[in-house]
Amino acid sequence: MELDARKKRILKAVVEDYIQNVEPVGSKSLAERPGLDFSPATLRNEMAELTRQGYLEQPHTSAGRVPSPLGYRLYVNELMHRHQLSLSEMESINASLRLKMLELDNLLAEAGQFLASLTQYTAYTLAPRADTVRIIRFDLFAAGADAFIIVLVTQPAVVKNKLCRPPFAPEEDTLRQLSLSLNLYLVGLCVSELGEAHWEAVAARTPDGRPYIPFIVEFLQETERSFDTREVMLSGQSHLLSHPEYRDILKARRLLEYLSDRRELSKISTPDPATPVRFVIGPENVNEALQDASVIMATYHIGDNLQGMIGVVGPTRMDYARLSSHLSYFAQRLGHYLSGEEEEST
Amino acid sequence: MELDARKKRILKAVVEDYIQNVEPVGSKSLAERPGLDFSPATLRNEMAELTRQGYLEQPHTSAGRVPSPLGYRLYVNELMHRHQLSLSEMESINASLRLKMLELDNLLAEAGQFLASLTQYTAYTLAPRADTVRIIRFDLFAAGADAFIIVLVTQPAVVKNKLCRPPFAPEEDTLRQLSLSLNLYLVGLCVSELGEAHWEAVAARTPDGRPYIPFIVEFLQETERSFDTREVMLSGQSHLLSHPEYRDILKARRLLEYLSDRRELSKISTPDPATPVRFVIGPENVNEALQDASVIMATYHIGDNLQGMIGVVGPTRMDYARLSSHLSYFAQRLGHYLSGEEEEST
DNA sequence: GTTAGCACTCTCAACTATCGAGTGCTAAAC
DNA sequence: GTTTAGCACTCGATAGTTGAGAGTGCTAAC
């Protein structure tokens, strides 16, 4: 059942009024909005209709109306028009990214913090998934008498490392040889593709290196695991408490607890090249802790086939229009910088 | 003015009762505590005295007593006896550390999370200060056609890296030569000791490498800066909300906001080898946001002269006895693992 | 020195009354 | 036929009242 143009205008006004004032909006105050030249009575009739159709809700009989999740959904799909970022906003986003180290972990952590302070919402960032991460280079060397360090460079620019303490004394020479073999046989492969055959090949070329291999295998496994969980960064938790809907401590705590489990966040964020900005509104979330929260997320691209995500979390009543613009621009710029593309004028 | 033994016993009982029940403790309920065989009236007299001396406070005339900051201070200094960690607690601390990568950043982040879940308080970790960090090894190599990567290993086991995009095409050969020179001249030095002379020596030995040097200098500067701020990790923010004293959202938010500024945390945490566990109680904190919060922190040691910190933050009413044991054991084990010492029986 | 008794204080929770914003419906106006 | 004014009604929020209970300090007895 399609809504006529006037109903849509009214719904839009209700959503935007509620987003701003956080109080159920009544017919009278709505009538005072510029651009809505109807009497309160007319608005009452229309709002009653919208309530019957499920786009609005009434906290109780004699209160104003509040958008329902369905109402928000219609709003983000059809009604809202993109907020235009100001030049200074764009400039500050660019500046926040430009000066950072280009290492992925750090950049994502700092990008998350910046995103949180930009939007004044709780924000998170998700590194690209591991199964598309390619090995670019290995480096092994001794560190002290009884340890050696593995450094692994992957595409995109991620460097992982580990200090290993084998039960034997590492030999500089062997490590150098082993590095060569690893680079020879493994560069260009995805971590997930590696199998027994690869290790056999490495060991065949560098027999002395055999005892080191278990450490390297374990390191790669850790690396892969870490992409599932550790690479989620959460920032701006305190912003959550600034929303009146989280005056109820218990609700706030439950949500914060949920968010602090990085696995959960990574579960709900699957990059999708087709929809650059995705909205998940209230009960559309499967998880209980998110029932009355909304998540807005955007996919960023590194190169052609690597995708990560950034997002913000807040109450169902979020400033969808502003946030979606912020997120999509931020994601786009983040992708550019991570891909190492040259700066262009925007 | 010294307190007599009985007053001390009563103060100790009040503190411990209040820590447990979070409600002003009255003479009657105190008299029911085993080990305190006085009538309520006697206790009333003593408590009135303690109040006059500033160790207890009264929220209002007809309520029980609450320890004052001074009372807590006396408690942690003299009265509390260390909580004895159970074997299973020690074992779980060891297990949480044993399986992790030995890279400092990751380990500290995960240690913080574990500490938060162990203590059920908001926890933070601080990496050792940069001015005592020594260069162990440099590694430079090309990444793609227009970029190169710097990897820096320091003592203790920290590996930093950066992807640089110079305005010229990096040459494998030059990078290899430059690596050699850097290792030759800079290994063993502290980052803060480096000066113009060192770079001149490097450039003299590797003239082709000269254009790369500004990138390396900048990288080292970033590294040093990052030790001041980025290396503070905060975890378990949601635990803060579980304390009844933060039912007031505004208070909770202010504290969380304060804590999310990593510079602030690093400012209040100066390692001190002399006092393994330090307590900062309520108004002893200079910062306003911490006026009614307490911080317990412990110093961990890497090798002989490197110190970092771990800590927990909560309301003035904290379980000081339990937390101080947890923190001191945790700090001790963390130091061991980071120093790469062999496991010993404890 | 310790304890029982007692009048007093002050918070908290429950209850009540009142207020007002907002509604839906009906009938008049456009 | 659509829009608007009028009106009785609903129901949450707010403020004021009251009683119960916990805890106190003081005094007098043990």
Side-chain angles (χ1 to χ4, degrees):
Chain A
M1 125 191 53
E2 259 300 291
L3 297 180
D4 60 45
R6 192 171 73 178
K7 284 217 178 58
K8 285 186 181 169
R9 268 179 65 202
I10 292 172
L11 177 58
K12 179 161 182 281
V14 171
V15 170
E16 284 170 358
D17 191 296
Y18 184 65
I19 282 178
Q20 203 171 41
N21 302 318
V22 215
E23 254 159 45
V25 6
S27 53
K28 201 172 146 202
S29 65
L30 200 58
E32 282 161 10
R33 271 182 92 88
L36 227 52
D37 293 326
F38 306 100
S39 77
T42 310
L43 294 172
R44 273 207 291 283
N45 287 333
E46 293 287 53
M47 285 161 85
E49 182 75 11
L50 281 166
T51 307
R52 234 168 288 132
Q53 295 175 288
Y55 293 103
L56 295 178
E57 281 170 356
Q58 254 178 319
H60 53 265
T61 331
S62 77
R65 301 308 211 282
V66 161
S68 73
L70 191 65
Y72 283 121
R73 173 50 67 189
L74 188 69
Y75 176 73
V76 303
N77 284 357
E78 296 188 34
L79 271 32
M80 80 180 180
H81 52 272
R82 287 282 171 110
H83 171 258
Q84 182 58 49
L85 264 66
S86 72
L87 269 178
S88 74
E89 283 176 311
M90 293 197 276
E91 187 38 50
S92 85
I93 289 176
N94 285 319
S96 80
L97 294 167
R98 193 178 305 127
L99 290 171
K100 303 298 176 195
M101 296 200 202
L102 272 172
E103 200 219 334
L104 193 65
D105 284 19
N106 302 341
L107 183 61
L108 283 182
E110 305 215 10
Q113 279 181 275
F114 177 77
L115 186 59
S117 84
L118 175 77
T119 60
Q120 294 289 302
Y121 280 80
T122 303
Y124 69 94
T125 58
L126 218 81
R129 308 264 324 165
D131 52 337
T132 49
V133 169
R134 273 176 206 290
I135 294 170
I136 296 297
R137 176 174 170 129
F138 267 103
D139 204 10
L140 298 169
F141 44 86
D146 62 343
F148 67 98
I149 289 178
I150 312 173
V151 175
L152 169 70
V153 185
T154 57
Q155 168 74 29
V158 188
V159 181
K160 298 263 164 204
N161 58 81
K162 181 182 182 178
L163 180 74
C164 297
R165 300 188 178 275
F168 49 86
E171 301 250 332
E172 274 285 1
D173 263 3
T174 313
L175 287 168
R176 199 173 311 121
Q177 285 301 317
L178 188 58
S179 286
L180 286 175
S181 303
L182 289 168
N183 283 311
L184 197 59
Y185 290 116
L186 305 185
V187 161
L189 298 175
C190 288
V191 174
S192 54
E193 288 171 6
L194 296 180
E196 204 49 52
H198 297 103
W199 299 113
E200 264 316 311
V202 169
R205 188 174 182 282
T206 330
D208 288 348
R210 201 178 277 276
Y212 299 87
I213 290 184
F215 290 93
I216 297 164
V217 173
E218 198 198 325
F219 170 59
L220 286 173
Q221 282 166 355
E222 279 169 7
T223 303
E224 202 171 18
R225 258 203 310 278
S226 78
F227 269 88
D228 281 344
T229 59
R230 226 203 58 248
E231 312 292 327
V232 183
M233 300 289 192
L234 189 68
S235 346
Q237 284 98 324
S238 64
H239 292 311
L240 206 66
L241 299 182
S242 66
H243 301 292
E245 24 274 279
Y246 293 104
R247 237 173 313 166
D248 176 4
I249 284 278
L250 207 70
K251 246 169 90 176
R253 191 171 132 214
R254 250 200 299 258
L255 184 52
L256 273 183
E257 240 156 49
Y258 168 83
L259 292 175
S260 67
D261 185 344
R262 290 141 169 213
R263 255 168 319 210
E264 291 294 327
L265 270 181
S266 104
K267 217 190 293 172
I268 61 167
S269 313
T270 40
D272 179 359
T275 41
V277 179
R278 201 157 92 235
F279 304 87
V280 191
I281 299 168
E284 296 174 6
N285 286 291
V286 277
N287 191 290
E288 204 198 339
L290 286 173
Q291 280 311 300
D292 43 13
S294 282
V295 184
I296 310 183
M297 43 190 139
T299 305
Y300 63 84
H301 302 261
I302 307 179
D304 286 337
N305 54 9
L306 260 183
Q307 287 112 28
M309 300 216 82
I310 59 175
V312 295
V313 183
T316 329
R317 169 201 63 83
M318 285 176 99
D319 193 343
Y320 294 98
R322 179 174 69 90
L323 290 172
S324 88
S325 313
H326 276 157
L327 276 181
S328 79
Y329 185 73
F330 195 87
Q332 181 218 330
R333 301 310 302 166
L334 184 61
H336 275 235
Y337 283 101
L338 285 173
S339 308
E341 283 168 28
E342 278 311 305
E343 202 147 333
E344 73 234 46
S345 61
T346 39
Chain B
M1 126 193 48
E2 259 301 290
L3 296 180
D4 61 44
R6 192 170 73 176
K7 284 221 179 56
K8 284 185 182 171
R9 268 178 65 202
I10 292 172
L11 177 58
K12 179 162 182 280
V14 172
V15 171
E16 285 170 0
D17 190 297
Y18 184 65
I19 282 177
Q20 205 173 38
N21 302 318
V22 213
E23 253 158 46
V25 6
S27 54
K28 202 174 145 201
S29 65
L30 200 58
E32 282 161 10
R33 270 182 93 88
L36 228 53
D37 293 327
F38 306 100
S39 77
T42 309
L43 295 173
R44 272 206 291 283
N45 286 334
E46 294 288 52
M47 285 161 83
E49 183 74 11
L50 281 167
T51 307
R52 234 166 290 131
Q53 295 176 286
Y55 295 102
L56 295 179
E57 282 170 356
Q58 253 178 320
H60 53 265
T61 331
S62 77
R65 301 310 211 279
V66 162
S68 72
L70 192 65
Y72 283 121
R73 173 49 67 191
L74 189 68
Y75 175 74
V76 303
N77 283 358
E78 295 188 36
L79 272 32
M80 80 178 178
H81 52 272
R82 288 280 170 113
H83 171 260
Q84 182 58 48
L85 264 65
S86 72
L87 270 179
S88 73
E89 283 176 311
M90 291 197 276
E91 187 39 50
S92 86
I93 289 175
N94 284 319
S96 79
L97 293 167
R98 195 178 303 129
L99 290 171
K100 303 299 178 196
M101 297 198 201
L102 272 173
E103 200 220 332
L104 192 65
D105 284 18
N106 302 341
L107 183 63
L108 284 181
E110 305 214 9
Q113 279 180 274
F114 177 78
L115 185 60
S117 84
L118 174 79
T119 58
Q120 294 289 302
Y121 279 80
T122 302
Y124 69 94
T125 59
L126 218 81
R129 307 265 324 166
D131 52 336
T132 50
V133 169
R134 270 174 209 292
I135 294 169
I136 296 296
R137 179 178 168 122
F138 267 104
D139 205 12
L140 300 168
F141 42 87
D146 61 345
F148 68 98
I149 289 179
I150 312 173
V151 175
L152 169 70
V153 184
T154 57
Q155 168 73 28
V158 188
V159 181
K160 297 262 165 207
N161 58 80
K162 181 182 182 178
L163 180 74
C164 299
R165 299 188 178 275
F168 48 87
E171 302 250 333
E172 274 286 0
D173 264 2
T174 313
L175 286 169
R176 198 172 312 123
Q177 285 303 318
L178 188 58
S179 286
L180 287 175
S181 304
L182 289 169
N183 283 311
L184 195 59
Y185 290 117
L186 305 185
V187 161
L189 299 175
C190 288
V191 174
S192 53
E193 289 171 6
L194 297 179
E196 204 50 52
H198 297 102
W199 299 114
E200 264 316 310
V202 169
R205 190 177 179 281
T206 329
D208 288 348
R210 199 179 278 276
Y212 298 87
I213 290 184
F215 290 93
I216 297 164
V217 172
E218 198 197 326
F219 171 58
L220 286 173
Q221 282 166 354
E222 280 169 8
T223 303
E224 201 171 19
R225 257 202 313 275
S226 79
F227 270 88
D228 281 343
T229 60
R230 225 202 60 250
E231 312 293 326
V232 183
M233 300 288 191
L234 188 68
S235 346
Q237 286 99 323
S238 64
H239 293 311
L240 206 66
L241 299 182
S242 67
H243 302 293
E245 25 274 278
Y246 293 105
R247 238 172 313 167
D248 177 4
I249 284 277
L250 207 71
K251 246 169 88 176
R253 191 171 133 214
R254 250 199 300 256
L255 184 51
L256 273 183
E257 238 156 50
Y258 168 82
L259 292 175
S260 66
D261 186 343
R262 291 142 168 209
R263 254 167 322 207
E264 290 294 327
L265 270 180
S266 105
K267 217 190 293 172
I268 62 167
S269 313
T270 39
D272 178 0
T275 39
V277 180
R278 201 158 92 235
F279 303 87
V280 190
I281 298 170
E284 296 173 8
N285 286 292
V286 276
N287 191 290
E288 202 198 339
L290 286 174
Q291 280 311 300
D292 43 13
S294 281
V295 184
I296 310 182
M297 43 191 140
T299 305
Y300 63 84
H301 301 260
I302 307 180
D304 285 337
N305 55 8
L306 259 183
Q307 288 112 27
M309 301 216 83
I310 59 175
V312 294
V313 183
T316 330
R317 168 202 63 84
M318 283 176 102
D319 191 344
Y320 295 99
R322 179 174 70 89
L323 289 171
S324 87
S325 313
H326 276 156
L327 275 181
S328 80
Y329 186 73
F330 195 88
Q332 183 217 330
R333 301 311 300 168
L334 185 62
H336 275 236
Y337 283 101
L338 285 174
S339 309
E341 282 168 30
E342 278 311 303
E343 202 146 333
E344 73 235 46
S345 60
T346 37

